[in-house]
Amino acid sequence: MSTNVILLGPPGAGKGTQAKVLVEQTSLAHVASGDLFRAALRDGTELGMLAKSYMDRGALVPDEVVINMILERIQAPDCAEGVVFDGFPRTKEQAVALEEALAKQQSSIDVVLYLGVPSDVLLRRIGGRQTCKTCGATYNRYYFPSHRPGICDACGGELYQRSDDTLETAQHRLDVYFGQTMPLIEYYQRQGILHEIDGQREIMWVTEMMLKALNQYLPTSA
Ligand code: AP5
């Protein structure tokens, strides 16, 4: 039996930050649609170029493209014990496609952890985010900067700002979230699997709440 969890929330809510900690503390794999697109772009693939044309505008990549990519990714051996989905699903069509694919493997989504954070806080977090080009570690200019400006504490790699983290694009990403992704909150609420966590609180507190909510679905205690 596998354990599958969705991290749902607006851009900047802390999904990526929390997913990294959750997979360190469990046997689950981290499947992040945005990271997969950015990796495809770094590799210079057609998928990467296509995704970039949407990401740079803060628009959603078409459902069919995202769904195919994710359903292929979850066939990998590291997903056998379950997955932390980060940034997917983002539309009802994606949610249904995931459910159907998991059902074919006699599996399902166990819990959806929804991180609520107000828009002004999100825009500040996104504007301050810096990511390591080498290891992917995330920092924040306002909340927890790296010790040496522009240099990753963990590996010495160069920090960069995502091209979709400008104020204008971030604002559009939020609008897209409110229009296209927020309906999933009610969708999962109706299924009785939505668990809300205050994403405004400090990172360690949020992790603790997530592990508490997830614990009952894990084969062994996290
Ligand atoms: P994606 O990469 O998924 O971005 P996102 O969902 O917009 O989320 P973010 O990565 O911006 O935020 P996060 O919640 O992970 O926050 P983080 O932990 O980094 O998607 C990018 C694009 O790809 C989309 O716009 C779309 O074009 C495309 N795409 C991806 N998936 C798709 C899909 N399914 N369908 C269609 N298109 C898709 O934290 C943010 C900052 O805040 C960091 O600096 C962090 O250090 C800080 N922080 C985190 N938690 C806290 C806290 N508790 N207190 C203070 N600071 C915090």
Side-chain angles (χ1 to χ4, degrees):
M1 275 298 282
S2 61
T3 303
N4 295 295
V5 52
I6 292 171
L7 303 191
L8 183 63
K15 302 181 299 294
T17 301
Q18 296 299 334
K20 283 182 191 131
V21 186
L22 293 184
V23 299
E24 270 169 25
Q25 303 205 16
T26 64
S27 55
L28 308 182
H30 182 192
V31 172
S33 41
D35 289 352
L36 290 171
F37 287 136
R38 283 182 286 276
L41 184 61
R42 277 195 301 277
D43 294 344
T45 67
E46 220 171 280
L47 172 68
M49 296 307 288
L50 175 76
K52 182 176 161 53
S53 66
Y54 292 91
M55 291 167 88
D56 280 352
R57 288 185 279 129
L60 292 187
V61 176
D63 281 337
E64 190 190 295
V65 175
V66 192
I67 289 168
N68 286 340
M69 176 181 76
I70 295 291
L71 298 193
E72 190 186 327
R73 171 67 184 90
I74 63 176
Q75 298 307 317
D78 68 316
C79 296
E81 291 189 36
V83 171
V84 176
F85 291 97
D86 162 9
F88 180 90
R90 262 171 149 100
T91 62
K92 171 96 181 292
E93 288 69 22
Q94 294 179 18
V96 170
L98 179 61
E99 266 163 45
E100 288 174 357
L102 291 175
K104 281 187 194 149
Q105 304 172 2
Q106 280 75 50
S107 192
S108 61
I109 298 297
D110 295 288
V111 63
V112 178
L113 302 175
Y114 165 59
L115 285 173
V117 180
S119 296
D120 58 331
V121 178
L122 294 170
L123 289 173
R124 190 167 166 79
R125 282 188 189 176
I126 292 171
R129 171 168 47 198
Q130 290 180 303
T131 309
C132 176
K133 273 186 181 167
T134 311
C135 72
T138 308
Y139 299 86
N140 197 289
R141 265 200 296 270
Y142 306 123
Y143 301 108
F144 26 84
S146 56
H147 293 301
R148 285 181 296 160
I151 309 284
C152 177
D153 293 345
C155 75
E158 186 190 340
L159 303 184
Y160 76 103
Q161 184 174 27
R162 272 170 46 179
S163 58
D164 60 344
D165 276 353
T166 60
L167 184 61
E168 195 187 344
T169 309
Q171 182 61 64
H172 184 60
R173 283 160 60 201
L174 279 184
D175 294 342
V176 168
Y177 168 79
F178 292 128
Q180 300 191 54
T181 305
M182 249 182 110
L184 288 182
I185 296 174
E186 201 189 322
Y187 179 74
Y188 289 121
Q189 221 159 20
R190 278 204 305 270
Q191 293 185 19
I193 56 172
L194 189 90
H195 186 98
E196 183 167 356
I197 293 171
D198 182 358
Q200 269 199 94
R201 301 283 297 269
E202 63 178 42
I203 290 174
M204 278 169 68
W205 182 90
V206 175
T207 306
E208 201 183 314
M209 291 304 117
M210 286 197 161
L211 284 169
K212 228 181 219 175
L214 190 54
N215 217 16
Q216 60 178 303
Y217 304 103
L218 295 170
T220 51
S221 288

